[in-house]
mmCIF file of all heavy atoms in Angstrom:
data_model
loop_
_atom_site.group_PDB
_atom_site.id
_atom_site.type_symbol
_atom_site.label_atom_id
_atom_site.label_comp_id
_atom_site.label_asym_id
_atom_site.label_seq_id
_atom_site.Cartn_x
_atom_site.Cartn_y
_atom_site.Cartn_z
ATOM 1 N N PRO J 293 0.859 -1.196 -0.094
ATOM 2 C CA PRO J 293 0.017 -0.024 -0.019
ATOM 3 C C PRO J 293 0.858 1.254 0.020
ATOM 4 O O PRO J 293 2.016 1.229 0.425
ATOM 5 C CB PRO J 293 -0.782 -0.141 1.329
ATOM 6 C CG PRO J 293 -0.869 -1.629 1.580
ATOM 7 C CD PRO J 293 0.383 -2.156 1.017
ATOM 8 N N TRP J 294 0.259 2.384 -0.489
ATOM 9 C CA TRP J 294 0.999 3.570 -0.771
ATOM 10 C C TRP J 294 1.735 4.099 0.517
ATOM 11 O O TRP J 294 3.010 4.447 0.409
ATOM 12 C CB TRP J 294 0.018 4.704 -1.255
ATOM 13 C CG TRP J 294 0.653 6.019 -1.481
ATOM 14 C CD1 TRP J 294 0.220 7.146 -0.859
ATOM 15 C CD2 TRP J 294 1.598 6.385 -2.394
ATOM 16 N NE1 TRP J 294 0.935 8.280 -1.342
ATOM 17 C CE2 TRP J 294 1.758 7.736 -2.231
ATOM 18 C CE3 TRP J 294 2.511 5.722 -3.198
ATOM 19 C CZ2 TRP J 294 2.831 8.534 -2.899
ATOM 20 C CZ3 TRP J 294 3.438 6.372 -3.977
ATOM 21 C CH2 TRP J 294 3.618 7.818 -3.826
ATOM 22 N N ARG J 295 1.080 4.135 1.617
ATOM 23 C CA ARG J 295 1.756 4.615 2.806
ATOM 24 C C ARG J 295 3.004 3.819 3.178
ATOM 25 O O ARG J 295 3.978 4.362 3.509
ATOM 26 C CB ARG J 295 0.775 4.672 4.074
ATOM 27 C CG ARG J 295 1.426 5.126 5.329
ATOM 28 C CD ARG J 295 0.392 5.143 6.421
ATOM 29 N NE ARG J 295 -0.298 3.872 6.561
ATOM 30 C CZ ARG J 295 0.021 2.801 7.322
ATOM 31 N NH1 ARG J 295 1.194 2.965 7.934
ATOM 32 N NH2 ARG J 295 -0.697 1.735 7.490
ATOM 33 N N LEU J 296 2.764 2.490 3.090
ATOM 34 C CA LEU J 296 3.902 1.568 3.494
ATOM 35 C C LEU J 296 5.095 1.626 2.439
ATOM 36 O O LEU J 296 6.081 1.479 2.843
ATOM 37 C CB LEU J 296 3.337 0.276 3.661
ATOM 38 C CG LEU J 296 2.328 -0.028 4.813
ATOM 39 C CD1 LEU J 296 1.811 -1.377 4.801
ATOM 40 C CD2 LEU J 296 2.773 0.525 6.140
ATOM 41 N N ALA J 297 4.530 1.728 1.171
ATOM 42 C CA ALA J 297 5.715 1.849 0.091
ATOM 43 C C ALA J 297 6.600 3.090 0.303
ATOM 44 O O ALA J 297 7.728 3.010 0.196
ATOM 45 C CB ALA J 297 5.053 1.852 -1.212
ATOM 46 N N ARG J 298 5.903 4.167 0.592
ATOM 47 C CA ARG J 298 6.697 5.413 0.831
ATOM 48 C C ARG J 298 7.523 5.239 2.150
ATOM 49 O O ARG J 298 8.699 5.680 2.179
ATOM 50 C CB ARG J 298 5.794 6.680 0.930
ATOM 51 C CG ARG J 298 5.270 7.060 -0.418
ATOM 52 C CD ARG J 298 4.731 8.531 -0.293
ATOM 53 N NE ARG J 298 3.647 8.649 0.561
ATOM 54 C CZ ARG J 298 2.982 9.817 0.896
ATOM 55 N NH1 ARG J 298 3.386 10.940 0.255
ATOM 56 N NH2 ARG J 298 1.963 9.876 1.721
ATOM 57 N N ALA J 299 7.023 4.608 3.093
ATOM 58 C CA ALA J 299 7.836 4.395 4.347
ATOM 59 C C ALA J 299 9.015 3.516 4.114
ATOM 60 O O ALA J 299 10.116 3.675 4.723
ATOM 61 C CB ALA J 299 6.914 3.785 5.484
ATOM 62 N N ASP J 300 8.856 2.550 3.194
ATOM 63 C CA ASP J 300 9.929 1.673 2.846
ATOM 64 C C ASP J 300 11.140 2.541 2.119
ATOM 65 O O ASP J 300 12.337 2.298 2.519
ATOM 66 C CB ASP J 300 9.545 0.495 1.914
ATOM 67 C CG ASP J 300 10.533 -0.474 1.718
ATOM 68 O OD1 ASP J 300 11.112 -1.021 2.619
ATOM 69 O OD2 ASP J 300 10.947 -0.797 0.473
ATOM 70 N N VAL J 301 10.838 3.381 1.271
ATOM 71 C CA VAL J 301 11.808 4.089 0.596
ATOM 72 C C VAL J 301 12.404 5.088 1.628
ATOM 73 O O VAL J 301 13.589 5.279 1.642
ATOM 74 C CB VAL J 301 11.152 4.983 -0.577
ATOM 75 C CG1 VAL J 301 12.166 5.859 -1.171
ATOM 76 C CG2 VAL J 301 10.562 4.002 -1.551
ATOM 77 N N ASP J 302 11.663 5.674 2.410
ATOM 78 C CA ASP J 302 12.115 6.760 3.352
ATOM 79 C C ASP J 302 12.996 6.042 4.438
ATOM 80 O O ASP J 302 14.090 6.678 4.700
ATOM 81 C CB ASP J 302 10.998 7.384 4.193
ATOM 82 C CG ASP J 302 10.166 8.335 3.285
ATOM 83 O OD1 ASP J 302 10.780 8.727 2.245
ATOM 84 O OD2 ASP J 302 8.985 8.628 3.684
ATOM 85 N N ARG J 303 12.734 4.899 4.867
ATOM 86 C CA ARG J 303 13.588 4.113 5.828
ATOM 87 C C ARG J 303 14.982 3.861 5.231
ATOM 88 O O ARG J 303 15.997 3.953 5.866
ATOM 89 C CB ARG J 303 12.938 2.880 6.270
ATOM 90 C CG ARG J 303 11.817 2.993 7.343
ATOM 91 C CD ARG J 303 11.376 1.595 7.724
ATOM 92 N NE ARG J 303 12.472 0.888 8.335
ATOM 93 C CZ ARG J 303 12.333 -0.423 8.675
ATOM 94 N NH1 ARG J 303 11.307 -1.103 8.381
ATOM 95 N NH2 ARG J 303 13.257 -1.011 9.297
ATOM 96 N N ALA J 304 14.942 3.532 3.951
ATOM 97 C CA ALA J 304 16.255 3.265 3.286
ATOM 98 C C ALA J 304 17.017 4.494 3.229
ATOM 99 O O ALA J 304 18.298 4.421 3.668
ATOM 100 C CB ALA J 304 16.041 2.737 1.917
ATOM 101 N N LEU J 305 16.451 5.590 2.765
ATOM 102 C CA LEU J 305 17.246 6.842 2.598
ATOM 103 C C LEU J 305 17.660 7.546 3.849
ATOM 104 O O LEU J 305 18.849 7.932 4.001
ATOM 105 C CB LEU J 305 16.476 7.798 1.729
ATOM 106 C CG LEU J 305 16.006 7.210 0.430
ATOM 107 C CD1 LEU J 305 15.206 8.238 -0.480
ATOM 108 C CD2 LEU J 305 17.202 6.561 -0.413
ATOM 109 N N ASP J 306 16.696 7.578 4.778
ATOM 110 C CA ASP J 306 17.033 8.278 6.091
ATOM 111 C C ASP J 306 18.035 7.347 6.830
ATOM 112 O O ASP J 306 18.946 7.975 7.570
ATOM 113 C CB ASP J 306 15.702 8.444 6.955
ATOM 114 C CG ASP J 306 14.727 9.346 6.330
ATOM 115 O OD1 ASP J 306 15.160 10.114 5.475
ATOM 116 O OD2 ASP J 306 13.578 9.310 6.759
ATOM 117 N N GLY J 307 17.937 6.067 6.735
ATOM 118 C CA GLY J 307 18.877 5.222 7.395
ATOM 119 C C GLY J 307 20.251 5.404 6.936
ATOM 120 O O GLY J 307 21.265 5.502 7.755
ATOM 121 N N VAL J 308 20.497 5.452 5.603
ATOM 122 C CA VAL J 308 21.775 5.527 5.031
ATOM 123 C C VAL J 308 22.376 6.917 5.456
ATOM 124 O O VAL J 308 23.613 7.129 5.677
ATOM 125 C CB VAL J 308 21.803 5.314 3.503
ATOM 126 C CG1 VAL J 308 23.262 5.512 2.960
ATOM 127 C CG2 VAL J 308 21.329 3.885 3.404
ATOM 128 N N ARG J 309 21.528 7.964 5.372
ATOM 129 C CA ARG J 309 22.065 9.269 5.737
ATOM 130 C C ARG J 309 22.685 9.271 7.240
ATOM 131 O O ARG J 309 23.658 9.947 7.466
ATOM 132 C CB ARG J 309 20.976 10.348 5.642
ATOM 133 C CG ARG J 309 20.557 10.669 4.231
ATOM 134 C CD ARG J 309 19.709 11.904 3.990
ATOM 135 N NE ARG J 309 19.175 12.045 2.716
ATOM 136 C CZ ARG J 309 19.680 12.505 1.755
ATOM 137 N NH1 ARG J 309 20.994 13.027 1.865
ATOM 138 N NH2 ARG J 309 19.233 12.582 0.485
ATOM 139 N N TRP J 310 21.996 8.612 8.088
ATOM 140 C CA TRP J 310 22.510 8.422 9.471
ATOM 141 C C TRP J 310 23.939 7.739 9.362
ATOM 142 O O TRP J 310 24.945 8.228 10.130
ATOM 143 C CB TRP J 310 21.674 7.623 10.244
ATOM 144 C CG TRP J 310 22.113 7.391 11.706
ATOM 145 C CD1 TRP J 310 22.035 8.169 12.696
ATOM 146 C CD2 TRP J 310 22.850 6.287 12.198
ATOM 147 N NE1 TRP J 310 22.601 7.627 13.929
ATOM 148 C CE2 TRP J 310 23.092 6.550 13.549
ATOM 149 C CE3 TRP J 310 23.284 5.084 11.545
ATOM 150 C CZ2 TRP J 310 23.853 5.470 14.295
ATOM 151 C CZ3 TRP J 310 24.052 4.144 12.324
ATOM 152 C CH2 TRP J 310 24.228 4.398 13.650
ATOM 153 N N TYR J 311 24.088 6.709 8.515
ATOM 154 C CA TYR J 311 25.462 6.033 8.429
ATOM 155 C C TYR J 311 26.467 7.070 7.908
ATOM 156 O O TYR J 311 27.556 7.026 8.299
ATOM 157 C CB TYR J 311 25.310 4.811 7.613
ATOM 158 C CG TYR J 311 24.856 3.575 8.364
ATOM 159 C CD1 TYR J 311 23.458 3.361 8.349
ATOM 160 C CD2 TYR J 311 25.628 2.762 8.991
ATOM 161 C CE1 TYR J 311 23.066 2.242 8.904
ATOM 162 C CE2 TYR J 311 25.186 1.720 9.602
ATOM 163 C CZ TYR J 311 23.863 1.294 9.683
ATOM 164 O OH TYR J 311 23.378 0.173 10.279
ATOM 165 N N VAL J 312 26.153 7.879 6.872
ATOM 166 C CA VAL J 312 27.064 8.851 6.312
ATOM 167 C C VAL J 312 27.604 9.721 7.424
ATOM 168 O O VAL J 312 28.758 10.079 7.454
ATOM 169 C CB VAL J 312 26.322 9.737 5.170
ATOM 170 C CG1 VAL J 312 27.348 10.823 4.732
ATOM 171 C CG2 VAL J 312 26.048 8.865 4.109
ATOM 172 N N GLU J 313 26.624 10.033 8.474
ATOM 173 C CA GLU J 313 27.101 10.960 9.504
ATOM 174 C C GLU J 313 28.013 10.318 10.556
ATOM 175 O O GLU J 313 28.857 10.785 11.246
ATOM 176 C CB GLU J 313 25.868 11.542 10.248
ATOM 177 C CG GLU J 313 25.021 12.537 9.391
ATOM 178 C CD GLU J 313 25.881 13.743 8.966
ATOM 179 O OE1 GLU J 313 26.615 14.262 9.753
ATOM 180 O OE2 GLU J 313 25.742 14.112 7.798
ATOM 181 N N GLU J 314 27.913 8.956 10.680
ATOM 182 C CA GLU J 314 28.548 8.145 11.705
ATOM 183 C C GLU J 314 29.718 7.331 11.211
ATOM 184 O O GLU J 314 30.515 6.805 12.035
ATOM 185 C CB GLU J 314 27.451 7.197 12.324
ATOM 186 C CG GLU J 314 26.283 7.760 12.980
ATOM 187 C CD GLU J 314 26.609 8.521 14.278
ATOM 188 O OE1 GLU J 314 27.658 8.086 14.927
ATOM 189 O OE2 GLU J 314 26.042 9.540 14.644
ATOM 190 N N ILE J 315 29.828 7.293 9.810
ATOM 191 C CA ILE J 315 30.831 6.288 9.345
ATOM 192 C C ILE J 315 32.389 6.632 9.760
ATOM 193 O O ILE J 315 33.134 5.746 9.893
ATOM 194 C CB ILE J 315 30.743 6.205 7.832
ATOM 195 C CG1 ILE J 315 31.547 5.105 7.311
ATOM 196 C CG2 ILE J 315 31.263 7.516 7.025
ATOM 197 C CD1 ILE J 315 31.040 3.713 7.654
ATOM 198 N N ASP J 316 32.689 7.872 9.908
ATOM 199 C CA ASP J 316 33.949 8.227 10.338
ATOM 200 C C ASP J 316 34.330 7.586 11.710
ATOM 201 O O ASP J 316 35.447 7.046 11.875
ATOM 202 C CB ASP J 316 34.197 9.681 10.379
ATOM 203 C CG ASP J 316 34.142 10.453 9.037
ATOM 204 O OD1 ASP J 316 33.069 10.752 8.685
ATOM 205 O OD2 ASP J 316 35.306 10.601 8.451
ATOM 206 N N ARG J 317 33.413 7.755 12.643
ATOM 207 C CA ARG J 317 33.533 7.049 13.925
ATOM 208 C C ARG J 317 33.682 5.580 13.828
ATOM 209 O O ARG J 317 34.502 4.970 14.507
ATOM 210 C CB ARG J 317 32.464 7.479 14.859
ATOM 211 C CG ARG J 317 32.396 6.778 16.289
ATOM 212 C CD ARG J 317 31.056 7.045 16.967
ATOM 213 N NE ARG J 317 29.932 6.646 16.399
ATOM 214 C CZ ARG J 317 29.464 5.393 16.246
ATOM 215 N NH1 ARG J 317 30.230 4.364 16.932
ATOM 216 N NH2 ARG J 317 28.398 5.077 15.682
ATOM 217 N N MET J 318 32.879 5.027 13.011
ATOM 218 C CA MET J 318 32.724 3.434 12.902
ATOM 219 C C MET J 318 34.065 2.943 12.354
ATOM 220 O O MET J 318 34.463 1.812 12.617
ATOM 221 C CB MET J 318 31.505 3.101 12.001
ATOM 222 C CG MET J 318 30.171 3.515 12.598
ATOM 223 S SD MET J 318 28.850 3.027 11.357
ATOM 224 C CE MET J 318 27.428 3.362 12.506
ATOM 225 N N LEU J 319 34.732 3.823 11.471
ATOM 226 C CA LEU J 319 36.038 3.200 10.823
ATOM 227 C C LEU J 319 37.194 3.770 11.460
ATOM 228 O O LEU J 319 38.365 3.535 11.008
ATOM 229 C CB LEU J 319 35.935 3.602 9.395
ATOM 230 C CG LEU J 319 34.878 2.973 8.583
ATOM 231 C CD1 LEU J 319 34.970 3.469 7.129
ATOM 232 C CD2 LEU J 319 34.829 1.444 8.603
ATOM 233 N N ALA J 320 37.075 4.581 12.579
ATOM 234 C CA ALA J 320 38.162 5.225 13.274
ATOM 235 C C ALA J 320 39.259 4.323 13.835
ATOM 236 O O ALA J 320 40.419 4.764 13.905
ATOM 237 C CB ALA J 320 37.705 6.183 14.268
ATOM 238 N N ASP J 321 38.932 3.254 14.086
ATOM 239 C CA ASP J 321 39.951 2.201 14.670
ATOM 240 C C ASP J 321 40.676 1.491 13.550
ATOM 241 O O ASP J 321 41.426 0.436 13.887
ATOM 242 C CB ASP J 321 39.248 1.221 15.602
ATOM 243 C CG ASP J 321 38.226 0.319 14.914
ATOM 244 O OD1 ASP J 321 37.926 0.654 13.727
ATOM 245 O OD2 ASP J 321 37.699 -0.640 15.533
ATOM 246 N N GLY J 322 40.659 1.981 12.306
ATOM 247 C CA GLY J 322 41.432 1.352 11.313
ATOM 248 C C GLY J 322 40.787 0.239 10.524
ATOM 249 O O GLY J 322 41.433 -0.455 9.902
ATOM 250 N N ARG J 323 39.511 0.078 10.727
ATOM 251 C CA ARG J 323 38.773 -1.032 10.015
ATOM 252 C C ARG J 323 38.959 -0.739 8.456
ATOM 253 O O ARG J 323 38.785 0.408 7.923
ATOM 254 C CB ARG J 323 37.340 -1.104 10.362
ATOM 255 C CG ARG J 323 37.067 -1.390 11.859
ATOM 256 C CD ARG J 323 35.668 -1.840 12.164
ATOM 257 N NE ARG J 323 35.440 -3.200 11.610
ATOM 258 C CZ ARG J 323 35.788 -4.288 12.253
ATOM 259 N NH1 ARG J 323 36.312 -4.238 13.379
ATOM 260 N NH2 ARG J 323 35.477 -5.470 11.608
#
């Protein structure tokens, strides 16, 4: 359904933007 389809897209995009903000910390130990 439309509401759930848009939520699926939003979860993907919003979630990855969070990782973009956090990735420096996540890789800081030389991973």
Side-chain angles (χ1 to χ4, degrees):
W294 175 241
R295 174 178 57 85
L296 301 180
R298 287 198 297 177
D300 188 52
V301 176
D302 291 343
R303 283 184 63 193
L305 305 185
D306 294 346
V308 178
R309 289 191 191 278
W310 178 84
Y311 279 93
V312 171
E313 294 298 320
E314 297 290 329
I315 193 67
D316 292 88
R317 173 188 61 79
M318 294 176 175
L319 299 178
D321 61 354
R323 299 196 69 84

